Amino acid sequence: MSNKRNYAVPLAFIGMMFFTVGFATGINGYFVPFLENNLHLSSAQSYLVIAATFLAFLVFSFPASGIINRIGYKRTMSLSFFMFAVAFGLFIPAARLESFALYLLACFISGTANTVLQAAINPYVTILGPIDSAARRISIMGICNSLALSLPSVFIAAVTRKPIEAVGLQDLDLPLYIIIGVIVVLGVITLFAPLEEIKAEGEENPEDCPYAAGKTSIWQFPHLVLGALALFVYVGVENLALLTVLDYAQDLGLPNPEGYTVWPGIGMAAGYILGIIFIPKVISQVKALRICTWLAVADSLLIVLTPPQVSVWCVALLSFACSLMYPAIWPLAITELGRFTKKGSSLLVASIGGGALIPLLFGAMKDWVGSQSAYWICLPFYLLIMYYAYFGYKIRK
C-alpha cells in the first residue's frame, strides 16, 4: 500500500501532462478540416498539419534526452509547457495573415514541445514502479490523454458558439488566448511539483542489469529496435483512428460530424480501463497486446468492407483496439536497457514521428482512391505490430 501512496502524487501530475499531450493532439484533428475549409486545401495538404507536428519527434527526440540529462525530468516537463504556449501563440498571427506556412511552423513547434514532454513523461511513468505493471500505469495516463482528445472541438465550439463549418480564421483568437493562459499556469505548477528524479535499474550500477552491461549502443538491443519500428507504425495508425473521424464524417455528409469526435476518446478510455483492471493480475502486457492486434486487424477490414454509414462507426471504435498497444509496446521495448534507458526512450519517442508519415500517406490515398478505401493503409501496419507481439519483443541476441 505504501508504494501506491508513493505513486499517487507523481501519477497525478504526470496525468495532467498526458492530458496536455491529448489536447495538443486533438488540436491537430480540429485543424485538418478547419484549414481545409478556410484555406481551400486538398486533403493531402491539410494532413500536412499532422505531418508537421509529428516530424518534430524525428528531429528533436535525441536532443530531448540531452535536455533531460542536463536539467532533469521535472524541469524538462515544465519547459515543454512554455514551448506549447509559444506554438499556440503563433496560431493567432497565422490566422490573421491567412498563412498556411505559419500554421505549419506553429504545428512544428507544438510537436517539438510534445516531443520534449513525451521524452520525459513516458520513461518516467514506466520506471516509476515495477516494469511488469508499467502498462497499467501507462493505461491510467492514457485515460487522461484520451479525455482531452475531443476537448478542442467541444471547447472551440463552446467559446465561438459556432459549428466547425462556420468557424472562421479570426474566431480562434479568444479560444487560443485562454489555452495559452492555462498552459503557462500549468508550466509554473509543474516547476514546483513534488516529482523526484528517478533512474531505471542499471542506470547507476551497470552490474544490476547484466544483459545491458556489455553493450555499447542502443542498436545492440533488437527488441528495442523492433519495438521502435512497431511504435512508429502504431502512432501513425493510431492518429488515423483518433483524428480522421471528423473529416470522414464530413466527407460522408453526415449531420453534426463533430459529434463523432467523442467516440474515439471513449474507445481509448474503455480499453485503458480494462488494462487498469486486468494488467498484470489477470492478463500480461504481452497477451493484452496480442488481443488488441487481432481486434485492430478485424476492425480495419470492417472499415473498408462495410457500408459508409457503418464504416464511420468502425473508424470511431478503432481506437478501442489501439488502446493497450502503446502501453504494452513501450515497457516491452525498454526492458533490460540499463544505462541505455534514456537513449532507448529517445529512440521510442523518435518513433512517434510515424504520426507524420502515415497520415500524410493517408491524405494522399484519400485524394487518389477516396475516403473509405484509404483506410486499407491500416492493415499491413497492424500486422507488423502483431509480429512484434508474438515474436519481436523476445529477441535478445
Side-chain angles (χ1 to χ4, degrees), residues 5-352:
R5 285 195 296 269
N6 291 336
Y7 298 155
V9 173
L11 284 177
F13 280 98
I14 299 299
M16 174 193 71
M17 297 173 204
F18 271 90
F19 186 91
T20 303
V21 168
F23 188 91
T25 304
I27 283 284
N28 289 334
Y30 183 88
F31 273 132
V32 168
F34 173 78
L35 293 178
E36 191 172 343
N37 293 336
N38 283 277
L39 297 181
H40 310 293
L41 306 175
S42 68
S43 294
Q45 288 175 316
S46 64
Y47 276 91
L48 283 172
V49 168
I50 297 176
T53 302
F54 285 89
L55 179 63
F57 286 94
L58 295 174
V59 177
F60 286 104
S61 58
F62 285 99
S65 70
I67 294 173
I68 296 171
N69 284 328
R70 186 173 182 83
I71 66 176
Y73 282 109
K74 184 169 69 172
R75 291 181 180 177
T76 301
M77 296 170 191
S78 179
L79 173 65
S80 69
F81 280 99
F82 296 105
M83 295 171 68
F84 272 123
V86 172
F88 286 120
L90 278 178
F91 285 128
I92 297 172
R96 292 176 180 172
L97 297 173
E98 297 187 10
S99 171
F100 184 51
L102 194 53
Y103 268 110
L104 293 181
L105 176 61
C107 289
F108 183 78
I109 296 173
S110 176
T112 302
N114 207 332
T115 302
V116 172
L117 182 56
Q118 293 215 45
I121 60 178
N122 280 293
Y124 194 93
V125 75
T126 301
I127 64 179
L128 186 62
I131 195 71
D132 63 347
S133 62
R136 183 173 183 268
R137 293 189 298 278
I138 297 175
S139 293
I140 296 172
M141 299 299 100
I143 290 178
C144 301
N145 184 288
S146 61
L147 287 175
L149 284 170
S150 62
L151 188 59
S153 298
V154 177
F155 173 74
I156 292 172
V159 175
T160 62
R161 299 182 181 181
K162 294 180 180 180
I164 186 173
E165 299 89 348
V167 176
L169 293 172
Q170 306 301 326
D171 293 323
L172 292 185
D173 284 11
L174 179 58
L176 287 171
Y177 282 128
I178 295 172
I179 292 169
I180 292 168
V182 171
I183 286 176
V184 169
V185 171
L186 292 178
V188 174
I189 291 174
T190 301
L191 188 60
F192 295 98
L195 297 171
E196 297 181 5
E197 293 298 318
I198 57 177
K199 295 184 181 295
E201 183 179 10
E203 277 196 82
E204 288 187 318
N205 300 309
E207 61 272 13
D208 292 340
C209 186
Y211 175 67
K215 303 290 192 299
T216 59
S217 167
I218 59 173
W219 305 109
Q220 295 174 322
F221 297 86
H223 71 288
L224 168 66
V225 176
L226 290 172
L229 178 60
L231 203 62
F232 182 88
V233 299
Y234 163 74
V235 175
V237 289
E238 182 204 43
N239 278 342
L240 299 184
L242 295 175
L243 303 179
T244 64
V245 67
L246 174 62
D247 193 31
Y248 188 35
Q250 282 189 309
D251 287 345
L252 297 177
L254 298 175
N256 301 317
E258 62 270 12
Y260 291 92
T261 63
V262 176
W263 295 103
I266 292 175
M268 291 290 281
Y272 289 141
I273 290 171
L274 292 177
I276 293 167
I277 294 173
F278 294 114
I279 297 175
K281 293 182 179 179
V282 177
I283 188 173
S284 68
Q285 298 172 149
V286 174
K287 288 184 178 178
L289 180 58
R290 291 173 180 174
I291 292 170
C292 285
T293 57
W294 281 106
L295 290 174
V297 167
D299 197 39
S300 297
L301 292 172
L302 289 174
I303 290 172
V304 296
L305 297 177
T306 56
Q309 290 76 7
V310 177
S311 176
V312 69
W313 287 104
C314 296
V315 173
L317 296 176
L318 185 60
S319 59
F320 176 77
C322 290
S323 58
L324 296 180
M325 291 185 184
Y326 188 98
I329 293 172
W330 192 281
L332 290 174
I334 68 167
T335 298
E336 296 184 314
L337 295 189
R339 69 184 188 279
F340 294 97
T341 298
K342 286 188 177 71
K343 288 186 178 180
S345 296
S346 294
L347 178 62
L348 295 181
V349 171
S351 299
I352 298 175

